[in-house]
């Protein structure tokens, strides 16, 4: 899943993973879990993640390499928030070749920067289930135990967008050249976006 922060990658990745029985791998979720549990990795990355920077490629690639070899990836995986740099993308191609696998599709969820700020300011996640909500666009149930991410404050959102445009957006052309990119209008409602994403994923499996 490619797209700016707040495009809906996590929202759509969960839907695709459930529908096709794939693992959902969110590098952001893995980093946040390690930060919460105060692991060695968590301590290494907390300042970077809180500031909206990118964790070094070696660390991130090693983590994904490990994760992709777990049992639940046998049927495939939806990668959400990875790769985010050209070096990560190259490493992923190599890694998948080693594992005898390859990328089927790169859904690029396109959303304007102005919309990203609105989306992330209103994003809330359920502390127990990890479900993603939005105060206005996808309201949480009453009484849910919600979290507002530290990096979802306006200043940090601007920094994350800058990182995205500098380091991640070049991957759009990279995957287009490989014939893997499928651009999707991410400004439609959630169910409209997922219908399109599911249709495009389905087409690669026919
Ligand atoms: P990402 O994983 O790309 O950062 P999320 O899936 O966490 O994005 O979505 C960011 C926020 O936008 C969440 O609050 C989510 O509920 C909301 N959202 C996701 N998709 C849409 C959509 N199509 N329309 C409106 N809000 C959306
Ligand atoms: P996300 O949950 O995808 O918004 O990611 C949250 C934060 O985790 C990012 O702002 C980065 O600090 C870090 N992160 C997640 N994925 C990566 C990645 N592939 N490369 C580097 N840093 C990442």
């Amino acid at each position: 899943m490619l797209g700016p922060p707040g495009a809906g990658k996590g929202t759509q990745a969960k839907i695709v993973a459930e529908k096709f029985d794939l693992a959902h791998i969110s590098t952001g979720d893995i980093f946040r879990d390690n930060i919460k549990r105060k692991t060695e990795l968590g301590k290494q990355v907390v300042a970077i993640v809180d500031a909206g920077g990118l964790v070094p490629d070696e660390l991130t690639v090693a983590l994904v390499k490990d994760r992709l070899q777990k049992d639940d990836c046998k049927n495939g995986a939806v990668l959400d928030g990875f790769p985010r740099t050209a070096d990560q993308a190259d490493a992923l191609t190599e890694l998948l070749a080693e594992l005898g696998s390859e990328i089927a599709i790169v859904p690029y969820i396109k959303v304007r920067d102005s919309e990203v700020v609105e989306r992330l300011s209103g994003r809330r996640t359920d502390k127990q289930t990890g479900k993603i909500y939005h105060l206005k666009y996808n309201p949480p149930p009453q009484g849910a135990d919600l979290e507002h991410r530290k990096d979802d404050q306006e200043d940090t959102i601007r920094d994350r967008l800058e990182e995205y445009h500098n380091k991640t957006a070049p991957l759009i052309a990279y995957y287009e050249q490989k014939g893997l990119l499928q651009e999707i209008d991410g400004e439609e409602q959630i169910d409209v976006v997922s219908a399109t994403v599911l249709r495009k994923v389905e087409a690669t499996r026919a």
Side-chain angles (χ1 to χ4, degrees):
M1 292 281 172
L2 196 58
K9 301 183 298 297
T11 301
Q12 299 301 333
K14 285 175 198 284
I15 294 171
V16 172
E18 179 157 351
K19 167 94 181 174
F20 296 104
D21 190 25
L22 307 168
H24 171 208
I25 303 180
S26 156
T27 41
D29 280 353
I30 297 174
F31 288 134
R32 277 185 295 278
D33 176 59
N34 276 274
I35 291 169
K36 213 168 282 168
R37 292 189 291 114
K38 297 193 164 60
T39 64
E40 245 349 277
L41 174 66
K43 287 179 200 161
Q44 265 177 294
V45 304
V46 61
I48 301 171
V49 172
D50 281 354
L54 290 187
V55 173
D57 289 336
E58 307 82 62
L59 257 181
T60 310
V61 169
L63 183 147
V64 172
K65 180 172 182 174
D66 227 48
R67 183 66 188 82
L68 279 174
Q69 293 178 66
K70 298 251 154 74
D71 260 6
D72 66 333
C73 295
K74 279 210 178 91
N75 198 27
V78 185
L79 295 179
D80 160 15
F82 179 91
R84 258 179 159 100
T85 65
D87 283 349
Q88 289 181 15
D90 287 335
L92 176 64
T93 306
E94 255 175 60
L95 178 55
L96 290 177
E98 276 171 36
L99 297 172
S101 187
E102 60 184 7
I103 297 172
I105 180 173
V106 179
Y108 162 44
I109 308 182
K110 191 174 177 181
V111 167
R112 282 166 303 162
D113 286 8
S114 53
E115 183 68 17
V116 162
V117 178
E118 166 84 4
R119 293 239 184 130
L120 295 186
S121 310
R123 171 161 64 184
R124 297 293 183 276
T125 28
D126 186 301
K127 281 188 195 165
Q128 264 75 47
T129 63
K131 270 196 83 158
I132 304 165
Y133 294 104
H134 189 281
L135 294 178
K136 196 156 104 192
Y137 304 131
N138 185 18
Q142 281 244 324
D145 188 10
L146 300 174
E147 185 162 38
H148 186 194
R149 277 169 52 174
K150 206 171 177 176
D151 60 345
D152 278 350
Q153 316 290 335
E154 187 152 351
D155 278 2
T156 317
I157 295 171
R158 299 269 170 218
D159 293 338
R160 289 162 64 202
L161 270 170
E162 199 176 321
E163 285 285 73
Y164 170 76
H165 287 295
N166 289 334
K167 297 180 183 155
T168 310
L171 297 185
I172 297 165
Y174 174 97
Y175 284 119
E176 184 147 48
Q177 215 163 26
K178 288 181 182 271
L180 290 169
L181 198 83
Q182 289 285 342
E183 185 176 307
I184 292 148
D185 179 3
E187 298 199 13
E188 299 280 3
Q189 289 186 6
I190 294 175
D191 55 343
V192 176
V193 177
S194 44
T196 309
V197 175
L198 289 172
R199 181 166 45 77
K200 288 181 185 283
V201 173
E202 183 98 62
T204 69
R205 300 167 68 86

